């Protein structure tokens, strides 16, 4: 334990962010940093509970409680408090291959289940995590560590998102020869294309990719399996194949007018902006611009918020974000949303904070449904028609939405971005191999948690479990690597 009474002596303190009015003018990360003394004080707030929930990583009522990676949070909080930063980094890397990613983009379910948060404000776990790994890079403690011996086994990993990279890192550490295939022109999957640069600087992603390459992982870009290389060819060439392609098929939103010019799905919009930014600083014009437009984002999740923030940086005229969910309460409901569940409370994400600073109010509309898109004579979007809805949930958790009469509205819009989630992985590899899938069209693990019904083929990440958090993806990649190593060597132990 850091100090027995630290959680009573010290208050929660976050580093804060750059001013919203300043940061909307650039694409740089917006978080500030705490001093070393402030971080040690925050570490002192950790109680080292008898039964800590912060690293449980369990799913409760549709959400995640605690860290799916089972990070040794009380241990490295204590080490930071004592100024033992290198030891803290060692403990952090034991469970998490990429804390520089999770420390920036994870919603921190660990903090939602922190015991201190039961009666007060939780420990600043996410801030401390990021500080540990950032210091590790600053001090050059994090260097390439190629394996001392090679096993002679060759493994292909399809997809270079967090699951694929974690799987590759673990298998390479075990001495296997790992090749990662990525259809995009850069490695990183969702980390590179999908999450905007202001949330995760792409230099940070590339730094870790370079480190993995120095350790012996081979990366092949601009190569789509099932198109540029047939899936069976890959299986014939390697001793094992791990599919980590993600859940990239967008959920369809087919209502009247959805064909109009100006109606786009979220990920192509985000990816186009990021690629243009990386290629040319947005000078090549190879992206869908929101400049000067009234923009509607349909979807209240993280992807929708990223669309809001991106449109603001483009210079949109106005921005509105629709969500079918109701407005959350200001405080946790102890009956409907008890600790250690992730707290469902009203907050302003970074994007909504920026929109409010620019336009004076939260851009979100709650409990609302788009009924149709309307265009002009040239087939260009000009407005959205909506209605307020009432949501009910039956005993089996199924949601139904009923329109509320008399609540119809019209919103002007020249750009609508659909961010309502994903319908599982793309099916090219699945169909080619005859892989079994579950009811949600995710690849099914038949003979083990990560083994598919096809010999030598494993699946992990969103491709196996559906759209989820980055921490779940990393955990999936690590566990799949363990199963692959067991398949190749008979050894179920993998650090």
């Amino acid at each position: 334990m850091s100090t027995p009474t630290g959680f009573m002596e010290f208050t929660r303190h976050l580093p804060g962010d750059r001013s919203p009015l300043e940061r909307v003018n650039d694409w740089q990360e917006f978080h500030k940093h705490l001093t070393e003394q402030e971080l040690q004080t925050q570490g002192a707030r950790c109680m080292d509970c008898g039964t800590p929930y912060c690293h449980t990583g369990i799913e409760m009522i549709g959400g995640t409680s605690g860290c799916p990676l089972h990070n040794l949070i009380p241990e490295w909080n204590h080490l930071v408090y004592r100024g033992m930063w290198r030891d803290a980094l060692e403990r952090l890397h034991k469970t998490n291959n990429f804390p520089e990613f999770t420390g920036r983009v994870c919603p921190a379910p660990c903090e939602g289940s922190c015991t201190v948060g039961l009666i007060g404000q939780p420990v600043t776990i996410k801030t401390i995590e990021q500080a540990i790994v950032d210091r590790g890079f600053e001090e050059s403690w994090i260097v390439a560590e190629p394996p001392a011996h090679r096993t002679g086994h060759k493994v292909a990993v399809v997809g270079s998102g967090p699951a694929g990279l974690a799987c590759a890192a673990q298998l390479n550490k075990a001495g296997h020869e790992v090749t990662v295939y990525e259809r995009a022109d850069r490695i990183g999957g969702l980390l590179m294309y999908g999450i905007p640069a202001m949330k995760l600087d792409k230099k940070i992603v590339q730094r870790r990719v370079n480190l993995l390459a120095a350790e012996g992982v081979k990366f092949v870009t601009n190569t789509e399996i099932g198109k540029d290389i047939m899936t069976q060819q890959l299986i014939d060439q390697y001793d094992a194949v791990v599919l980590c392609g993600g859940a990239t098929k967008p959920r369809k939103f087919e209502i009247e007018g959805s064909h109009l010019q100006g109606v786009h799905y979220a990920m192509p919009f985000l990816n186009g902006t990021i690629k243009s930014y990386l290629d040319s600083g947005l000078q090549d014009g190879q992206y869908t611009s929101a400049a000067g437009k009234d923009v509607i984002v349909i979807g209240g999740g993280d992807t929708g918020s990223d669309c809001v923030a991106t449109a603001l940086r483009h210079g949109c005229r106005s921005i509105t974000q629709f969500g079918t969910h109701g407005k959350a309460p200001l405080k946790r409901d102890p009956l409907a949303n008890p600790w250690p569940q992730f707290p469902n409370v009203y907050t302003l994400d970074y994007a909504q904070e920026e929109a409010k600073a620019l336009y004076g109010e939260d851009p979100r509309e709650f409990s609302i449904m788009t009924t149709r898109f309307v265009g002009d004579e040239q087939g260009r979007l000009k407005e959205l028609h909506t209605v307020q809805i009432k949501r009910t949930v039956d005993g089996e958790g199924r949601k139904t939405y009923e329109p509320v009469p008399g609540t119809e509205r019209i919103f002007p819009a020249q750009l609508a971005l659909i961010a309502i989630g994903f319908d599982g992985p793309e099916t090219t590899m699945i169909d080619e191999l005859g892989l079994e899938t579950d009811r949600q069209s995710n690849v099914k693990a038949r003979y083990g948690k990560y083994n598919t019904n096809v010999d030598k083929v494993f699946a992990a990440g969103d491709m196996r479990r559906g759209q989820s958090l980055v921490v779940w993806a990393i955990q999936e990649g690590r566990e799949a690597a363990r199963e692959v190593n067991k398949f190749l060597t008979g050894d179920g132990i993998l650090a």
Side-chain angles (χ1 to χ4, degrees):
M1 182 183 295
S2 302
T3 173
T5 57
F7 68 97
M8 294 187 290
E9 295 176 40
F10 309 116
T11 58
R12 175 179 168 92
H13 178 52
L14 293 172
D17 300 328
R18 291 192 292 135
S19 163
L21 293 178
E22 170 197 334
R23 67 188 192 233
V24 293
N25 295 309
D26 61 53
W27 300 85
Q28 305 304 310
E29 287 191 356
F30 53 85
H31 293 302
K32 295 181 180 179
H33 305 283
L34 296 179
T35 66
E36 182 172 350
Q37 180 58 55
E38 289 172 327
L39 288 161
Q40 288 181 266
T41 299
Q42 292 305 301
R45 297 188 68 239
C46 183
M47 298 170 61
D48 192 17
C49 326
T51 307
Y53 282 80
C54 58
H55 52 63
T56 51
I58 56 177
E59 293 185 276
M60 303 177 67
I61 322 297
T64 298
S65 177
C67 178
L69 288 166
H70 313 303
N71 280 338
L72 305 171
I73 295 166
E75 295 185 29
W76 41 259
N77 276 336
H78 173 65
L79 291 167
V80 165
Y81 165 69
R82 295 184 60 192
M84 301 171 68
W85 288 87
R86 191 160 190 170
D87 293 302
L89 178 65
E90 180 184 343
R91 302 307 287 169
L92 180 55
H93 267 149
K94 278 188 177 294
T95 56
N96 188 351
N97 298 80
F98 315 123
E100 68 271 31
F101 303 156
T102 56
R104 286 170 165 80
V105 303
C106 180
C110 53
E111 294 188 12
S113 59
C114 173
T115 303
V116 180
L118 179 61
I119 57 171
Q121 292 297 309
V123 175
T124 57
I125 299 168
K126 180 177 173 180
T127 298
I128 295 173
E129 176 184 12
Q130 181 183 334
I132 293 170
V133 66
D134 283 354
R135 179 154 182 174
F137 278 108
E138 290 166 6
E139 300 283 355
S140 298
W141 295 334
I142 303 174
V143 295
E145 298 179 4
H149 303 285
R150 289 291 178 183
T151 65
H153 293 295
K154 298 196 303 180
V155 182
V157 176
V158 182
S160 69
L165 291 181
C167 183
Q170 292 297 99
L171 288 170
N172 181 70
K173 187 185 299 184
H176 306 305
E177 295 180 22
V178 184
T179 302
V180 178
Y181 290 89
E182 170 58 54
R183 65 181 176 180
D185 62 336
R186 290 179 174 88
I187 295 294
L190 175 74
L191 301 168
M192 182 63 74
Y193 291 129
I195 299 175
M198 55 277 193
K199 286 177 68 175
L200 178 60
D201 191 325
K202 305 313 167 186
K203 295 186 184 70
I204 290 172
V205 180
Q206 191 60 49
R207 179 178 63 185
R208 181 61 76 167
V209 171
N210 293 343
L211 196 64
L212 291 173
E215 292 177 335
V217 178
K218 299 174 185 177
F219 294 105
V220 180
T221 57
N222 294 307
T223 303
E224 184 173 352
I225 305 304
K227 180 179 178 182
D228 300 306
I229 298 177
M230 292 298 102
T231 312
Q232 188 60 50
Q233 180 183 343
L234 208 66
I235 294 173
D236 295 340
Q237 184 180 348
Y238 290 90
D239 299 308
V241 175
V242 190
L243 306 180
C244 301
T248 55
K249 187 167 61 177
R251 186 167 298 150
K252 295 299 181 183
F253 190 68
E254 296 177 343
I255 61 172
E256 182 182 344
S258 57
H259 65 284
L260 290 168
Q261 180 183 340
V263 179
H264 299 269
Y265 283 98
M267 294 312 295
F269 170 76
L270 293 173
N271 293 348
T273 294
I274 295 167
K275 179 168 171 51
S276 179
Y277 172 69
L278 294 174
D279 287 348
S280 67
L282 299 179
Q283 296 305 303
D284 60 14
Q286 298 299 306
Y287 64 98
T288 299
S289 177
K293 298 175 182 176
D294 300 301
V295 180
I296 304 290
V297 178
I298 301 173
D302 288 341
T303 301
S305 293
D306 291 340
C307 287
V308 170
T310 299
L312 291 174
R313 283 160 176 78
H314 285 179
C316 62
R317 180 164 54 199
S318 68
I319 189 80
T320 309
Q321 184 178 11
F322 291 170
T324 56
H325 57 285
K327 188 174 182 179
L330 295 177
K331 293 183 178 180
R332 184 202 290 265
D333 185 331
L335 296 178
N337 181 215
W339 177 91
Q341 291 178 17
F342 191 80
N344 178 29
V345 295
Y346 176 82
T347 58
L348 287 175
D349 198 355
Y350 81 106
Q352 288 102 38
E353 184 182 29
E354 292 167 356
K356 184 175 181 179
L358 282 170
Y359 303 119
E361 59 184 2
D362 185 340
R364 289 173 291 185
E365 293 281 343
F366 301 98
S367 300
I368 194 169
M369 179 178 290
T370 304
T371 56
R372 64 180 177 134
F373 300 104
V374 177
D376 60 18
E377 293 79 5
Q378 287 75 42
R380 297 172 300 196
L381 178 69
K382 71 172 185 178
E383 63 190 29
L384 275 71
H385 291 217
T386 69
V387 65
Q388 295 298 126
I389 54 173
K390 181 179 180 181
R391 184 173 74 166
T392 58
V393 182
D394 65 18
E396 297 182 2
R398 290 175 299 214
K399 301 170 186 175
T400 57
Y401 301 92
E402 295 292 334
V404 179
T407 61
E408 295 80 6
R409 297 169 67 186
I410 298 175
F411 290 82
Q414 298 81 50
L415 178 63
L417 302 170
I418 302 169
I420 58 173
F422 301 86
D423 273 337
E426 295 175 33
T427 60
T428 302
M429 291 184 292
I430 294 173
D431 293 341
E432 189 174 320
L433 290 176
L435 296 172
E436 292 184 353
T437 57
D438 61 19
R439 289 185 301 173
Q440 286 75 40
S441 77
N442 302 313
V443 175
K444 189 175 182 180
R446 182 178 179 184
Y447 298 115
K449 192 173 181 183
Y450 299 93
N451 306 59
T452 70
N453 60 300
V454 176
D455 186 41
K456 301 201 303 183
V457 178
F458 299 75
D462 289 0
M463 194 167 193
R464 190 196 74 86
R465 65 174 287 123
Q467 182 187 4
S468 192
L469 305 176
V470 169
V471 276
W472 276 116
I474 296 174
Q475 189 265 357
E476 289 261 319
R478 289 172 62 90
E479 291 298 316
R482 191 186 307 274
E483 292 299 316
V484 172
N485 187 65
K486 185 177 180 180
F487 169 76
L488 295 174
T489 68
D491 188 353
I493 300 175
L494 186 62

